[in-house]
Amino acid sequence: MKLKTLLNLTALALFAIITSFSAYADTHKMYGIQGDKLSIVTKVPAPSTYSVKGQTYTTKTEDDAKSYTKEGMASYYHLKFDGRRTASGDVYNSTQFTAAHKTLPINSYALVTNLHNNRKVIVRINDRGPFSDKRLIDLSHAAAKEIGLISRGMGHVRIEALHVAKNGNLSGAATRTLAKHAKTQEAADRLVKSNESSNKSFKIVNAKKGNEVYRLKMLEVTSRSQADKLITQLALDNIQAEVNRSGNKYEIHIGPFDNETQMSQVRAKLQKMAVNKPLIVYTYKN
């Protein structure tokens, strides 16, 4: 083979590798959310049906698959399933961010939010199940741990569909949530608005580096159930919050907020929700 031809083939191979990796999304770096690298282009086959234990399921159409968002119960795989085959043909690996869903397309993605603490994770759908009317999704051990489900075993979650295009752009119901967490305009630009042309993207809403960011801390919450109730109420407004044990009581960390006005509004709401609970405001540079 001539040297010039060999060099051209090498250049083409390198270009393919570079463009392939440029489509990958480091979800934590781009949106502050751990999860799968979004490296597989989403393909939605024609709807099909299958039966398990006498129950028939029909997979989503392309429109339904992209607009899918639902709240319900999530559980997670026992570690004994490590190494077993999934519906996609993959071998289940408890350290990867994957999940089983009854009807979302295999190798599509979903943003899963734990509604008790607002923690999020992005998973790839690579298996079918859970075959129970009481549960919507089964998460891998890593995904369940990321959103704080391990100690509970099950949890109330929101599932939002996420699809990857050949150029690396992201579409689906989850894009609106991801837009609120985008770290850079580049990350926001990868999000395609629903029902609009591919060149319509979100504008970044996060604070720029160097801006002052606000957080709240609520002290002396008497029980875990009370803390979870407050966090669930905050999650309805898409407000991030986490609970930590402090001695025989609990404290809730709320935020961050990009401006003082937003923080003050949430603070006023919390004062009505939990009378006489101490609230501390603190700031830091983003």
Side-chain angles (χ1 to χ4, degrees), residues 45-176:
S48 62
T49 60
Y50 65 97
S51 297
V52 176
K53 298 178 180 178
Q55 180 71 40
T56 300
Y57 303 93
T58 302
T59 59
K60 300 289 183 186
T61 65
E62 185 167 2
D63 287 343
D64 289 341
K66 280 194 175 183
S67 62
Y68 180 88
T69 178
K70 195 166 185 179
E71 294 182 6
M73 296 304 292
S75 53
Y76 64 93
Y77 285 78
H78 192 280
L79 290 174
K80 70 179 181 181
F81 289 99
D82 235 345
R84 297 190 187 182
R85 289 284 176 186
T86 63
S88 67
D90 292 345
V91 174
Y92 171 67
N93 183 336
S94 62
T95 67
Q96 295 178 349
F97 295 105
T98 58
H101 192 277
K102 292 184 277 287
T103 57
L104 284 175
I106 293 293
N107 285 330
S108 67
Y109 297 87
L111 173 64
V112 181
T113 302
N114 183 345
L115 296 179
H116 284 289
N117 57 21
N118 210 34
R119 289 168 61 178
K120 305 177 189 300
V121 68
I122 292 174
V123 295
R124 178 168 61 90
I125 306 299
N126 73 341
D127 204 5
R128 290 298 179 213
F131 298 112
S132 164
D133 292 338
K134 296 180 180 179
R135 306 197 310 278
L136 289 181
I137 195 167
D138 271 346
L139 301 173
S140 67
H141 193 273
K145 183 178 180 180
E146 180 62 27
I147 62 173
L149 283 189
I150 298 300
S151 60
R152 291 173 170 270
M154 294 178 64
H156 192 210
V157 301
R158 181 187 300 116
I159 305 167
E160 299 169 279
L162 188 64
H163 291 199
V164 180
K166 289 181 180 179
N167 62 0
N169 283 349
L170 308 176
S171 60
T175 56
R176 289 191 177 278

